[in-house]
Amino acid sequence: MPLHVPPAPAPALRSVLTALASPTAVREARTPSLLRAQGPVTPELPLPVHILDGTAARLAGWRFLIRCGERSVAAAETMLTPDGWAFSHFFEGPYLASTERALRQAEVMQQPYQPRLLSIPGLYMLALWLHGDCAADAATGHLAATDLLVPLAPAPPGIAAHRPHRAAELLPVLTHRVTPAPLLSSPA
């Protein structure tokens, strides 16, 4: 089944297009692949980025894969500011290829999904969040028990990358791992 990619807010897309057209922004990006790109580069596949906060998720930005020809050379991230959507930064690295791999995995699943990204900062973890309600507003952060989470590589120790998990099964494990251990009382 095809994925139902939600449309990004127009100002978020415009901010990425403006950054791509800026030689200064591209040069200062520290993304060698983007600097070496031969030919036009285009932002594609906008994914809302949510941050896990306890058991809820909040929208933090939009991520676009930057393609040159047939391959992704970088990603661009936007963030919500008091003035609206703004370009944040370009980057490359293992999450780029891992995101593409997880999206290819999701494309062949039987059920349609709305793809999102879920960041778990306390574990330095990113997961592809496959939301079962394809018509949902991508800005909402409600994780349904039946949604799938696909940890991206590199995943934290003990969590297999690219293995889909139901949110109801993986969230308690993640929440437990993020919760700080209680402090031991010191002797009097």
Side-chain angles (χ1 to χ4, degrees), residues 11-26 43 87 90:
L13 177 57
R14 276 194 305 274
S15 72
V16 170
L17 291 169
T18 300
L20 283 170
S22 165
T24 305
V26 171
F87 171 75
F90 292 115

Side-chain angles (χ1 to χ4, degrees), residues 4 6 111-116 129-138 140 142 144 146-148:
H4 296 271
Q111 181 179 339
Y113 289 102
Q114 182 189 85
R116 303 170 174 195
W129 170 11
L130 299 171
H131 190 53
D133 182 358
C134 295
D137 179 357
T140 61
H142 174 70
T146 55
D147 286 353
L148 294 181

